[in-house]
Amino acid sequence: QITKSAQQIPRVHKLFETNDGSRWLAGLSEVYDRTPEGNPGLFRVQGPDTLMLNHEQGLPHSRIYAVEPVTPANGNKAFWVATLTGVARIEDVEGNRGPVVSRPFVDVHVSQLAADTLGGVWFNYMRSRNVSLGYIDQDGQVSDFNFKRLAQYNQLEIRDLFVDDNNLLFAATKEGLGILGPERSVLVDKSGGLPSTSLFVMHPYQ
């Protein structure tokens, strides 16, 4: 659906800009529930036009928490989208057919995403008040990586995710900095030099 006025955009909670100059707005509903209809959605403001995506266009839910390009090399052609009831992938954002939304890969509350250079994405999800970590590869296969290798990682409150150029995953948590690599996982706390174990947001150091 294309609208000509950004004034039609309802309540949003997150703003970001992609390298084509588009501004994206992630919408939230006033009521927190699993009913997908009637809520805001994901909006792209490009010039005078606004592209709107919500449950009617195929998203698992119209309550949006995070958006990530599928890979940095992919540019703005495809995105992962985290919603209240799952993760979907949007393809052909710039195509003639308009955006194509995939089926939801998981049916859980997802609030954070971190895409890697392999075409996959890490996500944290909540089920029965327990927070876990999952991964969707480029073929859509889902794996569970809820840090079971470290007992203290069970039920960690994951607040932010970041993947570096070597596809090493960093997780900002209430108990410290979690680092997940192909061989082992570690949890860095005050003994490792952190001034505080309660972390919220991460940014790459340039």
Side-chain angles (χ1 to χ4, degrees):
Q1 178 178 348
I2 301 294
T3 63
K4 292 295 183 180
S5 173
Q7 294 178 356
Q8 299 183 30
I9 298 175
R11 177 174 177 248
V12 299
H13 78 116
K14 189 171 293 186
L15 309 173
F16 61 98
E17 185 174 0
T18 48
N19 55 23
D20 65 346
S22 298
R23 290 174 173 84
W24 294 75
L25 303 91
L28 286 180
S29 62
E30 297 292 339
V31 179
Y32 181 90
D33 59 39
R34 292 178 65 87
T35 302
E37 297 84 359
N39 293 337
L42 179 66
F43 304 86
R44 185 186 67 176
V45 181
Q46 190 175 40
D49 295 330
T50 302
L51 171 69
M52 181 178 70
L53 295 171
N54 57 25
H55 179 69
E56 294 180 357
Q57 283 75 43
L59 289 179
H61 200 281
S62 298
R63 190 179 179 97
I64 310 298
Y65 287 94
V67 181
E68 279 276 301
V70 169
T71 64
N74 180 271
N76 303 305
K77 296 181 180 178
F79 294 89
W80 298 103
V81 181
T83 77
L84 180 64
T85 58
V87 177
R89 187 165 54 198
I90 301 175
E91 306 280 356
D92 297 327
V93 172
E94 302 293 344
N96 294 328
R97 295 181 301 165
V100 177
V101 181
S102 73
R103 62 176 176 81
F105 292 95
V106 289
D107 182 19
V108 288
H109 175 186
V110 178
S111 59
Q112 301 288 344
L113 294 174
D116 60 22
T117 62
L118 304 175
V121 67
W122 293 92
F123 63 94
N124 73 321
Y125 64 91
M126 182 176 294
R127 177 182 287 143
S128 300
R129 297 186 179 181
N130 293 329
V131 177
S132 297
L133 186 68
Y135 180 75
I136 305 171
D137 66 20
Q138 60 182 346
D139 297 320
Q141 299 299 312
V142 182
S143 303
D144 183 22
F145 288 88
N146 61 347
F147 293 111
K148 291 180 179 178
R149 302 179 210 172
L150 295 177
Q152 65 265 39
Y153 271 57
N154 292 338
Q155 301 183 21
L156 269 187
E157 182 181 334
I158 301 173
R159 296 166 170 169
D160 193 20
L161 296 175
F162 173 76
V163 175
D164 69 4
D165 294 338
N166 297 314
N167 291 320
L168 195 64
L169 177 70
F170 295 82
T173 79
K174 187 178 180 180
E175 304 297 331
L177 178 64
I179 305 175
L180 180 62
E183 301 297 331
R184 66 191 184 98
S185 300
V186 297
L187 181 64
V188 182
D189 52 22
K190 287 185 177 180
S191 64
L194 288 178
S196 172
T197 58
S198 185
L199 306 180
F200 289 90
V201 180
M202 297 175 291
H203 289 283
Y205 176 76
Q206 302 295 337

